[in-house]
Amino acid sequence: MEAFLDYEVGGDSPVQAKASEAGVRADLGEAFHRDAVNQRLKSIRVPTLFLRAESGFTPAQPPLFPDALAAEVRTHILQVEDHKFAGTTHYTIVLGERGASRIADLISELASRPRAGMTA
């Protein structure tokens, strides 16, 4: 957690995120091009893990990827596994020990599966 905060937060006081405002705005702008995003999702042809936190940036906020959006994503990616992690936020899903450990297990499980057309 400390390493992440050392990387993510810069400046002395007040605390300011290192992320470029222009970069964040560009990412957000692209996110609202629904047709383009859906086309990109449809182009995914490999087994995919969709990992979601139960809450947004804090426990009191709604999730960044609510159930309705996850259902839509599942219609576009043929081989998707949707995993929503109870009791996590956007940050703790990867920075909390329980979330990070479960994600590592899911990735390991996915990587160890035989691939279609390949023999073990």
Side-chain angles (χ1 to χ4, degrees), residues 41-42 44 46 48 72-80:
L41 292 174
K42 289 177 185 177
I44 298 172
V46 296
T48 304
E72 185 175 344
V73 167
R74 290 192 304 268
T75 68
H76 297 305
I77 304 175
L78 299 177
Q79 301 178 65
V80 67

Side-chain angles (χ1 to χ4, degrees), residues 75-97:
T75 68
H76 297 305
I77 304 175
L78 299 177
Q79 301 178 65
V80 67
E81 293 178 24
D82 180 13
H83 296 272
K84 183 165 82 171
F85 291 64
T88 62
T89 68
H90 175 73
Y91 296 110
T92 63
I93 189 172
V94 293
L95 295 175
E97 186 174 328

Side-chain angles (χ1 to χ4, degrees), residues 12-81:
D12 295 321
S13 183
V15 175
Q16 296 178 1
K18 279 184 163 180
S20 155
E21 181 180 344
V24 171
R25 288 184 184 277
D27 284 348
L28 286 173
E30 280 191 20
F32 294 107
H33 295 271
R34 187 181 192 112
D35 291 338
V37 169
N38 288 341
Q39 284 306 111
R40 288 182 187 141
L41 292 174
K42 289 177 185 177
S43 72
I44 298 172
R45 301 280 184 237
V46 296
T48 304
L49 298 173
F50 185 27
L51 309 173
R52 304 185 293 133
E54 181 178 54
S55 301
F57 294 109
T58 67
Q61 293 181 326
L64 298 179
F65 297 101
D67 293 341
L69 180 59
E72 185 175 344
V73 167
R74 290 192 304 268
T75 68
H76 297 305
I77 304 175
L78 299 177
Q79 301 178 65
V80 67
E81 293 178 24

